[in-house]
Amino acid sequence: MAQNPKPRSIIESLGEEIVRIITPVSICMFSVVILVSILNNSESSSASITSVATIAYSEDSSDSFWDKFEGALLNSLVFVAVVTVVTFILVLLFYLRCTSFLKYYMGFSAFLVLGFMGGEIGLFLNQYFSVPVDCVTFLLVLFNFTVVGVLAVFMSKMAIFVTQGYLVVIGMLVAYWFTLLPEWTTWMLLVAMSLYDLAAVLLPGGPLRLLVELAMARDEDIPALVYEARPVLASDLSPRENVIPRRLWREPRSGDSTLNENMTTRSNVVPNVNAVSRLESSQTVGSIVNAEEGQGSRGISELTAPLIEHRINVQMHLAQQAVETENLVLEGIGLGSSGAIKLGLGDFIFYSVLVGRAAMYDFMTVYACYLAIIAGLGITLVLLAFYQKALPALPVSVLLGVLFYLLTRLLLEVFVVQCSVNLIMF
Amino acid sequence: MTVAAGIGYALIALGPALALFTALISTKPFLILTLVSSTLLWLITLIVLSALWRAFLPFQATQFGWSYFILILTCIVFQEAVRFLLWTAYRKLEHVLNDFADRVSKPRLYLTDKMQIALAGGLGHGLAHGVFFCLSLLTPAFGPATFYVQKCSQMPFFLVSAMIALAFVIIHTFSMVIAFKGFAEQNKVDQLFVPIVHLVAGMLTLVNLASGGCMIGIPMLYLVALATLIYCGKMVFRSLTEVQSSQGNSW
């Protein structure tokens, strides 16, 4: 409105990092919802998979309420127990400095997820849309896709957009497989994983806390698959440089525990970090971090750090039982060396599982759960900036999401349908 | 309803909102966050209202007219109360933002910024309405047939609800701008305009209960939306020209 170019207002740049992390989370959730609504219509929902999460109890729709509840509870307890054990193994391996082993394992996991899971979903989509493609072409394209994906998460020299895209795809594929679990088991699993996350991060003996403390004591990065948002080049606002790295580490099991690692524990390296809040400019901190971490290569090595995970291998040969090992994606919210937010892939996966499950009921629950998860993510980030200590990222979002799912399904839907069908709106 | 028709209905209801989003809001991350939080807030109001009314639903056929009247009345009163609370929260946010701007030596909030934040908040309200009242009913209905309502049999139900949703999106979006301006300037006319318009719009949808009522109800609803739009436009134009001529902040 002014004739002369007025200086940019603060609302044009405030909150940019948050939007840059919300966008890929939303894309991942959206893709899982689309996949679920396309693929679950065409096949029967009873084709559930046998996996670690269902060894205790196989859900049957004819069971009574309490049977299902107890069965689901049992399943989730088993799952959480397995995840705990695996995380402790992870801590042990990390302690013994087997980082290259972890690194290669992570690359191998990425290969399996993209190759096999991606391939199977590709086959389903081919079937559904009757795409005219022959086996050789399909195999070739899939193989190339997979190899580029492994390189993208492995190597740091890729364009950041490609890496981000592949991470979102990996999260999407793993999340889709999790939505194939029976319903009660999925919900109990989500709640159990959030509670486990809470415990593993906050309790003194928790495995994630140990892992983070080890990493900080050695000043190394935990090998993990993390999504790093494109760093905001703050020309006028340098708050981006504030590094309050929080890493939420998930356990190996579809992104369980998230651990917020407070950069303050790295205080021997970056002394000024503690006092800096997100919104304040701290050029000095930024420069210290950049100097210490190099030209972002550190951030890249964080990105390519091996992912410690259980792999979920689902063999879809109908003759055999599908055996699942979980793919653990370490997840975390943190700030990379360039100041951009990093979010672990396990967060992506669990959020998408929640929304995918909501999509199996109705899209109204999808919208409500989506809003709840984004709100939870925002709250977690605010809490992190406030408390400046390790906090788990999963509980707030997942518990809010489950709450909104129940409220919408039980209360809102009846109300809205009643009003809408009579064309009464306000 | 085919997928193409479904997408068409969705765009009828939310097309202008999408245009507003792309043009105004998508470039400013803060407005995106405002939009999302506003949508969440209005979803929460809808959930609270549904919790209140759950025990009475579904309505029996005998109580039709009056029960809906009371329903709409309570819902609108509640939503207007929430709007006022939103205003008080926004006031605090404005102080925080201005302090932050001072700290990083950037200009304080311009008048256009404040109006854009109000617009984003209103768009969140409209979006919540459109998504939950119209969009969420579209998706289960994909398939070979469509659905007609007895009382409004000229068009498929989805088309009618999309049109009503469009009118409400417009009303909600611009009411927020008017309301915030009214609260800021302590202007009684503006402050009362918004609840009255909301109430009138809600009551107009009651006309849809009569057989064939939607032929009257929907055009009148669009008249109300148009009135809101014009009123908001005049108000904004007036305040912008005032600022330009006096170089002062009127908020």
Side-chain angles (χ1 to χ4, degrees), chain B residues 10-23 123 166-167 169-170 173-174:
Chain B
L11 284 177
I12 287 179
L14 291 179
L18 188 66
L20 268 176
F21 178 81
T22 321
L123 194 62
L166 174 63
V169 165
I170 295 176
T173 309
F174 296 105

Side-chain angles (χ1 to χ4, degrees), chain A residues 110 114 144-154 158 166 170:
Chain A
L114 287 173
N144 283 330
F145 178 75
T146 309
V147 168
V148 174
V150 171
L151 291 177
V153 302
F154 227 171
M158 284 280 188
Y166 269 106
I170 292 177

Side-chain angles (χ1 to χ4, degrees), chain B:
Chain B
M1 171 181 68
T2 59
V3 176
I7 295 180
Y9 296 140
L11 284 177
I12 287 179
L14 291 179
L18 188 66
L20 268 176
F21 178 81
T22 321
L24 273 177
I25 296 184
S26 60
T27 48
K28 304 187 167 76
F30 186 76
L31 293 180
I32 298 180
L33 294 176
T34 315
L35 179 73
V36 172
S37 356
S38 174
T39 313
L40 178 74
L41 176 72
W42 294 105
L43 167 65
I44 294 176
T45 61
L46 279 177
I47 290 183
V48 168
L49 285 170
S50 62
L52 282 171
W53 278 94
R54 180 72 177 89
F56 304 99
L57 297 171
F59 287 140
Q60 278 80 19
T62 50
Q63 322 165 292
F64 249 18
W66 277 113
S67 12
Y68 279 121
F69 179 74
I70 299 176
L71 180 91
I72 291 189
L73 200 62
T74 51
C75 295
I76 292 181
V77 164
F78 185 72
Q79 286 201 331
E80 292 304 321
V82 170
R83 197 194 298 272
F84 183 72
L85 289 175
L86 190 62
W87 160 255
T88 48
Y90 168 72
R91 252 313 194 208
K92 296 206 192 97
L93 178 72
E94 211 180 295
H95 285 310
V96 169
L97 284 180
N98 278 334
D99 287 340
F100 172 66
D102 289 337
R103 249 201 330 242
V104 295
S105 349
K106 296 207 91 189
R108 305 189 118 202
L109 286 176
Y110 297 116
L111 178 62
T112 48
D113 288 342
K114 297 179 192 178
M115 289 199 275
Q116 280 176 349
I117 295 178
L119 186 72
L123 194 62
H125 189 183
L127 200 68
H129 181 275
V131 161
F132 286 97
F133 278 96
C134 168
L135 212 60
S136 52
L137 299 174
L138 286 179
T139 8
F142 284 129
T146 189
F147 181 61
Y148 284 83
V149 181
Q150 189 83 355
K151 305 233 169 82
C152 191
S153 47
Q154 287 88 354
M155 293 179 284
F157 160 71
F158 304 108
L159 185 58
V160 178
S161 87
M163 287 167 61
I164 298 182
L166 174 63
F168 269 104
V169 165
I170 295 176
I171 292 178
H172 287 319
T173 309
F174 296 105
S175 302
M176 193 68 90
V177 180
I178 300 175
F180 272 23
K181 199 109 190 354
F183 287 133
E185 293 176 350
Q186 311 283 326
N187 185 345
K188 280 294 173 203
V189 174
D190 286 345
Q191 284 178 10
L192 287 177
F193 181 84
V194 167
I196 291 179
V197 157
H198 197 181
L199 207 58
V200 166
M203 293 307 162
L204 274 176
T205 56
L206 275 178
V207 175
N208 295 331
L209 281 177
S211 179
C214 58
M215 300 288 286
I216 310 168
I218 297 185
M220 296 199 56
L221 199 60
Y222 271 90
L223 279 178
V224 173
L226 201 62
T228 316
L229 200 56
I230 292 177
Y231 189 82
C232 182
K234 273 184 10 195
M235 188 188 75
V236 169
F237 185 69
R238 196 175 7 124
S239 66
L240 284 182
T241 46
E242 263 173 25
V243 168
Q244 261 193 334
S245 59
S246 69
Q247 286 295 329
N249 259 353
S250 53
W251 281 55

